[in-house]
Amino acid sequence: MSTMIWPIYIDRNKSRGEGRKVSLDNGVAGPKLKEVFKAAKNLKFNPEMEADASYPGEWYNHSGRVFVETPIPKKNILIAISEEIKVLRNHKQNKKR
């Protein structure tokens, strides 16, 4: 089953009304499309990226979207991707030191 993931779904800087689908604790600040794609790839979700797509609520912002192939429920996918982005950011931060 293919699931569409917009970066706004896990953006802790957005409200639920603006499109966030996870709790603030599970969200990440300003997730980038490449981060979402890399996290999905690391999680073996077989992602496909569509970089020029615009989230309907922010049609002027070409944030892009990622499609993943997995039978896992969407909310669990979003939380897993968000947690993986946190790991990637932490790893990147530690490499700079």
Side-chain angles (χ1 to χ4, degrees):
M1 180 171 83
S2 185
T3 303
M4 182 174 32
I5 309 294
W6 296 95
I8 199 169
Y9 285 174
I10 59 172
D11 190 344
R12 68 177 291 123
N13 296 331
K14 300 293 182 177
S15 69
R16 293 267 187 178
E18 291 173 312
R20 180 173 45 85
K21 295 198 179 294
V22 297
S23 70
L24 289 174
D25 291 339
N26 289 324
V28 293
K32 304 292 183 220
L33 181 64
K34 288 183 180 183
E35 288 179 310
V36 174
F37 180 80
K38 185 169 184 173
K41 190 172 182 178
N42 288 356
L43 294 166
K44 311 277 191 264
F45 288 162
N46 191 26
E48 291 182 30
M49 186 168 41
E50 193 175 285
D52 61 343
S54 298
Y55 181 70
E58 291 187 355
W59 53 268
Y60 48 86
N61 181 9
H62 298 282
S63 63
R65 62 185 171 185
V66 173
F67 290 93
V68 297
E69 289 290 333
T70 181
I72 300 170
K74 187 171 193 168
K75 185 160 186 161
N76 294 0
I77 294 169
L78 295 174
I79 292 170
I81 288 174
S82 181
E83 292 301 319
E84 183 65 18
I85 289 172
K86 290 175 187 177
V87 169
L88 291 171
R89 287 181 177 181
N90 190 29
H91 181 60
K92 186 176 180 181
Q93 189 71 17
N94 288 339
K95 280 179 85 173
K96 288 183 179 180
R97 293 179 185 184

